[in-house]
Amino acid sequence: MAAAMKTTLLVMAAMAILSTASAATYNVGEPAGEWGFGINYGSWASSKQFIPGDSIVFKYSPQAHDVLEVSKADYDSCSGASPMTTLKTGNDIVALPATGTRYFICGIAGHCSAGMKVTIDVVSASSPSTPSSPAPASGPSASNSPPPPSPSAATSVRVTAGLGLVVLLAGLMA
Protein backbone atom coordinates (compact mmCIF):
# COMPACT_ATOMS: atom_id res chain seq x y z
CA MET A 1 0.00 0.00 0.00
CA ALA A 2 2.81 2.43 0.88
CA ALA A 3 4.53 1.71 -2.43
CA ALA A 4 1.34 2.45 -4.37
CA MET A 5 0.88 5.74 -2.51
CA LYS A 6 4.52 6.69 -3.18
CA THR A 7 4.12 5.90 -6.89
CA THR A 8 0.89 7.92 -7.11
CA LEU A 9 2.53 10.92 -5.42
CA LEU A 10 5.54 10.57 -7.71
CA VAL A 11 3.37 10.60 -10.85
CA MET A 12 1.30 13.56 -9.63
CA ALA A 13 4.42 15.57 -8.74
CA ALA A 14 6.01 14.82 -12.12
CA MET A 15 2.86 15.92 -13.97
CA ALA A 16 2.63 19.16 -11.97
CA ILE A 17 6.26 20.06 -12.57
CA LEU A 18 6.23 19.15 -16.26
CA SER A 19 3.09 21.20 -16.90
CA THR A 20 4.71 24.34 -15.43
CA ALA A 21 8.17 23.66 -16.80
CA SER A 22 7.08 23.86 -20.43
CA ALA A 23 5.72 27.43 -20.41
CA ALA A 24 8.01 30.44 -20.65
CA THR A 25 7.40 34.18 -20.87
CA TYR A 26 9.60 36.42 -23.01
CA ASN A 27 9.74 40.21 -22.90
CA VAL A 28 9.90 41.31 -26.54
CA GLY A 29 13.27 42.96 -27.15
CA GLU A 30 14.96 41.73 -23.97
CA PRO A 31 17.42 42.50 -22.45
CA ALA A 32 16.21 46.06 -23.13
CA GLY A 33 12.76 44.53 -22.74
CA GLU A 34 10.81 47.35 -24.32
CA TRP A 35 8.90 47.58 -27.60
CA GLY A 36 10.57 50.57 -29.17
CA PHE A 37 13.18 51.85 -31.57
CA GLY A 38 16.80 50.71 -31.86
CA ILE A 39 16.23 46.99 -31.28
CA ASN A 40 16.92 44.38 -33.92
CA TYR A 41 13.78 42.29 -33.46
CA GLY A 42 14.82 39.81 -36.17
CA SER A 43 17.96 38.91 -34.21
CA TRP A 44 16.08 38.92 -30.93
CA ALA A 45 13.40 36.49 -32.16
CA SER A 46 15.88 34.19 -33.91
CA SER A 47 17.79 33.78 -30.63
CA LYS A 48 14.70 32.28 -28.96
CA GLN A 49 12.78 29.06 -29.30
CA PHE A 50 9.08 29.70 -28.85
CA ILE A 51 6.96 26.63 -28.14
CA PRO A 52 3.21 26.20 -27.60
CA GLY A 53 2.29 27.39 -24.12
CA ASP A 54 4.85 30.21 -24.10
CA SER A 55 3.87 33.88 -23.91
CA ILE A 56 5.44 37.08 -25.16
CA VAL A 57 5.04 40.44 -23.46
CA PHE A 58 5.14 43.79 -25.25
CA LYS A 59 6.12 46.57 -22.81
CA TYR A 60 5.95 50.14 -24.09
CA SER A 61 4.53 53.59 -23.51
CA PRO A 62 0.93 53.46 -24.77
CA GLN A 63 1.16 57.15 -25.65
CA ALA A 64 4.02 56.38 -28.07
CA HIS A 65 3.35 52.91 -29.49
CA ASP A 66 0.87 50.08 -29.94
CA VAL A 67 1.03 46.47 -31.14
CA LEU A 68 -0.89 45.08 -34.08
CA GLU A 69 -0.99 41.42 -35.00
CA VAL A 70 -1.20 41.32 -38.77
CA SER A 71 -1.05 38.97 -41.75
CA LYS A 72 2.27 38.24 -43.46
CA ALA A 73 1.32 40.53 -46.35
CA ASP A 74 0.55 43.40 -43.96
CA TYR A 75 3.76 42.67 -42.05
CA ASP A 76 5.82 42.78 -45.24
CA SER A 77 4.21 46.06 -46.35
CA CYS A 78 4.01 47.56 -42.82
CA SER A 79 0.27 48.02 -43.20
CA GLY A 80 -1.87 48.36 -40.10
CA ALA A 81 -5.10 48.81 -42.08
CA SER A 82 -6.52 45.33 -41.28
CA PRO A 83 -5.07 44.10 -37.98
CA MET A 84 -6.22 40.77 -36.55
CA THR A 85 -5.60 42.11 -33.04
CA THR A 86 -4.85 45.57 -31.67
CA LEU A 87 -3.08 45.92 -28.31
CA LYS A 88 -2.72 49.26 -26.56
CA THR A 89 -2.14 48.79 -22.81
CA GLY A 90 1.65 49.10 -22.77
CA ASN A 91 1.96 45.74 -21.00
CA ASP A 92 0.39 43.33 -23.47
CA ILE A 93 0.70 39.59 -22.92
CA VAL A 94 0.25 37.43 -26.01
CA ALA A 95 -0.26 33.70 -25.49
CA LEU A 96 1.36 31.37 -28.02
CA PRO A 97 -0.93 28.32 -27.79
CA ALA A 98 -0.05 26.56 -31.05
CA THR A 99 2.71 26.13 -33.61
CA GLY A 100 2.87 28.59 -36.49
CA THR A 101 4.19 31.99 -37.46
CA ARG A 102 2.75 35.21 -36.07
CA TYR A 103 3.45 38.75 -37.21
CA PHE A 104 3.45 41.90 -35.07
CA ILE A 105 4.05 45.54 -35.97
CA CYS A 106 3.72 48.94 -34.35
CA GLY A 107 0.73 50.64 -35.98
CA ILE A 108 1.92 54.20 -35.39
CA ALA A 109 2.78 55.83 -38.74
CA GLY A 110 6.43 55.26 -39.68
CA HIS A 111 7.29 53.02 -36.71
CA CYS A 112 7.06 49.68 -38.53
CA SER A 113 9.20 50.91 -41.43
CA ALA A 114 11.71 52.15 -38.82
CA GLY A 115 12.08 48.56 -37.53
CA MET A 116 9.27 48.04 -35.03
CA LYS A 117 8.13 44.68 -36.37
CA VAL A 118 8.75 41.13 -35.23
CA THR A 119 8.00 37.65 -36.54
CA ILE A 120 7.40 34.97 -33.91
CA ASP A 121 7.86 31.37 -35.06
CA VAL A 122 6.26 28.92 -32.63
CA VAL A 123 7.69 25.44 -33.11
CA SER A 124 6.96 22.04 -31.65
CA ALA A 125 8.51 21.40 -28.24
CA SER A 126 10.32 18.43 -29.79
CA SER A 127 12.22 20.69 -32.22
CA PRO A 128 15.93 21.33 -31.62
CA SER A 129 16.62 23.73 -28.73
CA THR A 130 18.56 26.18 -30.90
CA PRO A 131 16.96 27.86 -33.88
CA SER A 132 18.39 26.43 -37.08
CA SER A 133 18.56 29.62 -39.09
CA PRO A 134 18.31 33.19 -37.95
CA ALA A 135 15.36 35.29 -39.03
CA PRO A 136 16.13 38.10 -41.41
CA ALA A 137 17.14 41.27 -39.67
CA SER A 138 14.73 44.15 -39.66
CA GLY A 139 15.12 47.88 -39.32
CA PRO A 140 17.76 50.35 -40.38
CA SER A 141 20.27 49.35 -37.72
CA ALA A 142 20.08 45.63 -38.51
CA SER A 143 23.53 45.43 -40.08
CA ASN A 144 25.40 46.99 -37.16
CA SER A 145 23.42 45.51 -34.26
CA PRO A 146 25.16 43.68 -31.43
CA PRO A 147 25.01 39.89 -31.38
CA PRO A 148 21.87 38.34 -29.92
CA PRO A 149 21.76 38.08 -26.14
CA SER A 150 22.60 34.90 -24.31
CA PRO A 151 19.76 32.51 -23.52
CA SER A 152 16.98 34.28 -21.68
CA ALA A 153 15.61 33.74 -18.22
CA ALA A 154 12.82 31.70 -19.81
CA THR A 155 15.33 29.07 -20.93
CA SER A 156 16.83 29.03 -17.44
CA VAL A 157 13.37 28.45 -15.94
CA ARG A 158 12.89 25.39 -18.16
CA VAL A 159 16.28 23.95 -17.18
CA THR A 160 15.77 24.68 -13.48
CA ALA A 161 12.32 23.09 -13.49
CA GLY A 162 13.73 19.99 -15.18
CA LEU A 163 16.47 19.70 -12.58
CA GLY A 164 13.89 20.20 -9.84
CA LEU A 165 11.94 17.25 -11.20
CA VAL A 166 15.02 15.04 -11.12
CA VAL A 167 15.76 16.00 -7.50
CA LEU A 168 12.12 15.45 -6.48
CA LEU A 169 12.00 12.06 -8.16
CA ALA A 170 15.26 11.01 -6.51
CA GLY A 171 13.93 12.06 -3.11
CA LEU A 172 10.65 10.21 -3.54
CA MET A 173 12.42 7.04 -4.71
CA ALA A 174 14.68 6.98 -1.64
Side-chain angles (χ1 to χ4, degrees):
M1 183 72 168
M5 179 66 86
K6 195 182 244 186
T7 301
T8 301
L9 287 173
L10 178 70
V11 169
M12 289 175 60
M15 287 173 37
I17 290 174
L18 287 175
S19 68
T20 60
S22 63
T25 300
Y26 298 92
N27 291 323
V28 175
E30 67 185 345
E34 186 166 309
W35 180 236
F37 297 113
I39 297 171
N40 184 330
Y41 292 105
S43 291
W44 175 81
S46 69
S47 72
K48 310 286 181 247
Q49 181 186 31
F50 303 102
I51 62 172
D54 286 351
S55 297
I56 56 174
V57 180
F58 291 89
K59 294 184 180 195
Y60 57 92
S61 168
Q63 293 78 28
H65 304 294
D66 63 9
V67 179
L68 306 180
E69 183 168 6
V70 296
S71 67
K72 180 173 183 354
D74 286 347
Y75 176 87
D76 290 341
S77 65
C78 282
S79 172
S82 303
M84 294 182 276
T85 305
T86 300
L87 307 169
K88 295 183 176 209
T89 70
N91 189 32
D92 302 314
I93 301 169
V94 177
L96 304 172
T99 59
T101 302
R102 297 180 64 182
Y103 304 93
F104 300 91
I105 66 171
C106 182
I108 306 298
H111 291 199
C112 176
S113 59
M116 288 188 66
K117 58 193 280 185
V118 64
T119 301
I120 303 295
D121 290 314
V122 183
V123 298
S124 167
S126 62
S127 295
S129 62
T130 303
S132 58
S133 61
S138 63
S141 62
S143 62
N144 60 3
S145 294
S150 59
S152 72
T155 303
S156 299
V157 168
R158 288 187 181 136
V159 171
T160 302
L163 291 174
L165 176 61
V166 170
V167 170
L168 176 66
L169 293 176
L172 290 173
M173 297 302 282

